[in-house]
Amino acid sequence: YLCFNSQIPQHPPLDPRLRRTYPKDTKPKFNNIKTKKASSFHEFARSTNDAWDIDDEEDEEFLGTFNPAVSIPPGLHTTSSVQNQVATRFDFLSVSSKENELKQQSLPVRPIIPLVARISDQNASGAPPMTVREKSRLDKFRQLLASPNTDLEELRKHSWSGIPREVRPITWRLLSGYLPANKERRELVLKRKREEYFRFIEQYYHSRTDEHYKDTYRQIHIDIPRTNPLIPLFQQPAVQEIFERILFIWAIRHPASGYVQGINDLVTPFFVVFLSEFVTEDMENFDVAALPLETQRNIEADSFWCMSKLLDGIQDNYTFAQPGIQNKVKALEELVSRIDEDIHNHFKRYEVEYLQFAFRWMNNLLMRELPLRCTIRLWDTYQAEAEGFSRFHLYVCAAFLIKWRKEILSMVDFQGLLMLLQNLPTIHWGNEEVGLLLAEAYRLKYMFADAPSHYKR
């Protein structure tokens, strides 16, 4: 592993295999398929307006899988929130879950990786004994965390290449700004912030059935069962109620954006990491209701505050018309045009708009493209990077796109390209693949971030 500049604050594990130039591919014959191109973000949203319409029967099916003890006001068939509509218009070519399962079954068989993989797990199941290097890393983390005043810059430096599972919860709380660096103040801050969150519940949660908030509540209620639907943990009533409260309280306290579909995904990494303090094995099937009520409440409050800290840095992604996402998608397009002209021209040839696939990458921070264990590992680095969830995420998306270069250039029609880009085969990814992706993203950042003509030829 290499480091490009010893003075750069981040120190990722760069793999020399990533120093490569891509060969020019022979351009495929033009497939004369005409697609209607939207002239603006709003026109594109309107052109797919019926793609997410849910009829009464489907509504009842989703709500029935939630918590029957929680009543839903009758007659709620549409959401009036414009930003909610805009946020959901771009999955229109998603393959159904059944088709996706069949596709995944055709992939080579590899061991199942735990939901929250240890640093040592890499791409194997179980928990192999720590190597000397891994034990040394864990000891270094524990030493930093035990210091009277944790050196956050040093903690970020060590977190960039992955945080050991054993210390990830406390490290995430510190890196997100939820906990202070001063060790003596941490317990007091935790107690105060947890109590503050549950005062919000007492103050606001009853208003979920009010006329003003019922559309927001209904949309949250529909989205939560769709969050990681193949992982049993997230289908438990106790977990879904936790998510419902977190999302509703966040929405009501952030009226500039309110709840937007996609925010529900951003709770899950925090919830799983904080739950991992109390569960060592088989987290996918762990019964959260078996935990003491106080423990459940603490996990919920910590997840709320850390998600809020994350969203504070990217809230323009979720305000009206989602300008943050529009800007990031445009930046990705211009960056890819410099990094790999062949891919960029291939998209132009077959009239593929970056918005059609990269909107979801920005809206959900690649969570729909990667297994949850990979997202957790990715977020180790995002929290260690300056502006990791906004600025560095752009380079990760660019590296992720280039990763599939061969597959992209082999597709010679619009529909094939969109099907590929919205269903990339990452089901068996683990720490090794995420590490290589992050190293390539860092290389791109190093090459382009400070260039005078970063996004322009």
Side-chain angles (χ1 to χ4, degrees):
Y1 291 108
L2 304 175
C3 209
F4 282 112
N5 190 329
S6 60
Q7 296 180 351
I8 296 173
Q10 283 77 34
H11 303 273
L14 294 175
D15 193 307
R17 289 174 292 175
L18 296 170
R19 292 174 172 268
R20 61 182 183 273
T21 56
Y22 297 107
K24 296 282 184 182
D25 286 60
T26 304
K27 291 184 178 178
K29 294 180 180 179
F30 182 71
N31 188 340
N32 192 24
I33 297 177
K34 294 293 182 184
T35 57
K36 182 176 180 182
K37 293 172 67 176
S39 60
S40 72
F41 181 84
H42 295 291
E43 283 183 33
F44 188 75
R46 286 195 297 272
S47 73
T48 57
N49 191 52
D50 60 347
W52 283 266
D53 283 351
I54 302 174
D55 58 26
D56 296 343
E57 186 176 333
E58 186 178 351
D59 249 1
E60 290 170 7
E61 180 184 343
F62 269 111
L63 298 178
T65 63
F66 195 70
N67 179 14
V70 182
S71 60
I72 300 293
L76 303 180
H77 301 299
T78 59
T79 174
S80 61
S81 171
V82 176
Q83 60 264 38
N84 285 359
Q85 295 174 15
V86 175
T88 60
R89 299 306 181 211
F90 301 92
D91 287 330
F92 65 98
L93 287 177
S94 292
V95 177
S96 69
S97 297
K98 191 167 185 179
E99 289 173 315
N100 215 16
E101 286 181 42
L102 291 173
K103 182 177 179 181
Q104 291 169 4
Q105 288 171 9
S106 67
L107 294 170
V109 176
R110 289 176 63 179
I112 296 172
I113 308 169
L115 186 62
V116 184
R118 297 170 185 267
I119 294 301
S120 58
D121 283 343
Q122 294 296 329
N123 294 300
S125 60
M130 281 190 178
T131 65
V132 173
R133 179 178 177 275
E134 288 159 355
K135 186 177 186 306
S136 175
R137 289 194 70 235
L138 178 57
D139 289 344
K140 181 61 180 178
F141 271 91
R142 284 175 170 159
Q143 181 183 345
L144 283 166
L145 296 169
S147 171
N149 286 284
T150 299
D151 185 335
L152 294 181
E153 283 306 309
E154 192 71 10
L155 188 63
R156 289 189 183 96
K157 175 181 173 181
H158 284 81
S159 299
W160 208 103
S161 56
I163 302 169
R165 170 181 169 141
E166 294 84 352
V167 293
R168 183 178 276 132
I170 179 67
T171 303
W172 274 29
R173 290 187 185 102
L174 285 163
L175 293 183
S176 68
Y178 176 43
L179 280 186
N182 183 277
K183 187 180 178 183
E184 287 187 2
R185 293 181 51 220
R186 288 175 197 164
E187 282 302 317
L188 185 62
V189 168
L190 272 180
K191 184 175 185 295
R192 177 172 56 83
K193 296 300 283 185
R194 288 166 176 172
E195 289 174 352
E196 184 179 359
Y197 170 71
F198 280 97
R199 282 199 299 272
F200 293 157
I201 297 289
E202 293 172 8
Q203 184 176 355
Y204 299 118
Y205 193 57
H206 64 85
S207 65
R208 64 192 182 279
T209 56
D210 292 355
E211 185 69 24
H212 186 65
Y213 297 117
K214 65 182 182 181
D215 286 343
T216 295
Y217 177 70
R218 172 185 174 273
Q219 191 60 61
I220 291 171
H221 214 72
I222 291 171
D223 287 348
I224 289 176
R226 300 174 178 177
T227 306
N228 296 291
L230 301 180
I231 301 177
L233 172 69
F234 297 106
Q235 302 311 308
Q236 298 176 26
V239 174
Q240 294 186 346
E241 289 170 13
I242 286 171
F243 276 51
E244 177 188 291
R245 288 191 292 268
I246 288 173
L247 293 169
F248 184 78
I249 296 302
W250 189 88
I252 208 171
R253 288 181 50 79
H254 294 81
S257 60
Y259 174 74
V260 175
Q261 287 177 306
I263 293 178
N264 54 306
D265 287 329
L266 305 184
V267 183
T268 57
F270 293 114
F271 179 80
V272 168
V273 167
F274 297 141
L275 179 62
S276 72
E277 287 185 285
F278 308 97
V279 184
T280 55
E281 295 179 1
D282 194 24
M283 187 174 289
E284 293 89 336
N285 297 291
F286 180 79
D287 181 10
V288 172
L291 288 172
L293 183 58
E294 184 180 0
T295 299
Q296 295 179 49
R297 287 166 59 91
N298 291 344
I299 292 170
E300 177 178 343
D302 292 357
S303 299
F304 170 82
W305 285 116
C306 288
M307 184 199 75
S308 297
K309 292 284 188 181
L310 185 163
L311 287 170
D312 284 348
I314 57 171
Q315 193 168 349
D316 64 344
N317 283 10
Y318 305 103
T319 54
F320 175 71
Q322 301 183 261
I325 290 179
Q326 293 187 63
N327 292 335
K328 289 181 177 73
V329 171
K330 182 63 177 174
L332 178 65
E333 179 177 358
E334 293 172 340
L335 182 57
V336 171
S337 73
R338 295 192 67 199
I339 295 169
D340 196 315
E341 194 172 4
D342 286 345
I343 287 181
H344 184 68
N345 289 336
H346 194 68
F347 287 158
K348 288 173 68 176
R349 175 180 291 251
Y350 296 107
E351 300 184 315
V352 172
E353 300 284 342
Y354 284 74
L355 197 63
Q356 292 166 328
F357 64 89
F359 179 93
R360 191 171 76 182
W361 296 10
M362 303 300 177
N363 190 56
N364 301 85
L365 297 176
L366 287 176
M367 287 194 63
R368 299 285 178 90
E369 325 311 318
L370 300 172
L372 182 53
R373 62 180 175 272
C374 294
T375 295
I376 290 169
R377 167 61 192 91
L378 188 68
W379 284 22
D380 287 348
T381 298
Y382 279 7
Q383 296 194 83
E385 258 300 319
E387 300 179 280
F389 291 98
S390 53
R391 191 162 171 261
F392 188 63
H393 179 66
L394 171 67
Y395 297 97
V396 172
C397 287
F400 188 64
L401 183 63
I402 303 304
K403 158 75 179 171
W404 310 102
R405 183 177 199 276
K406 181 180 177 182
E407 291 84 351
I408 289 169
L409 295 177
S410 70
M411 291 289 175
V412 291
D413 66 275
F414 171 85
Q415 290 174 319
L417 278 164
L418 262 294
M419 292 287 280
L420 169 69
L421 290 165
Q422 294 202 340
N423 296 276
L424 291 163
T426 62
I427 188 65
H428 291 303
W429 274 32
N431 287 345
E432 182 180 344
E433 288 84 355
V434 175
L436 289 171
L437 178 69
L438 287 165
E440 174 67 1
Y442 184 82
R443 185 182 74 88
L444 294 176
K445 178 192 169 188
Y446 180 75
M447 290 175 63
F448 291 97
D450 299 318
S453 300
H454 182 189
Y455 296 129
K456 297 180 181 178
R457 294 184 181 284

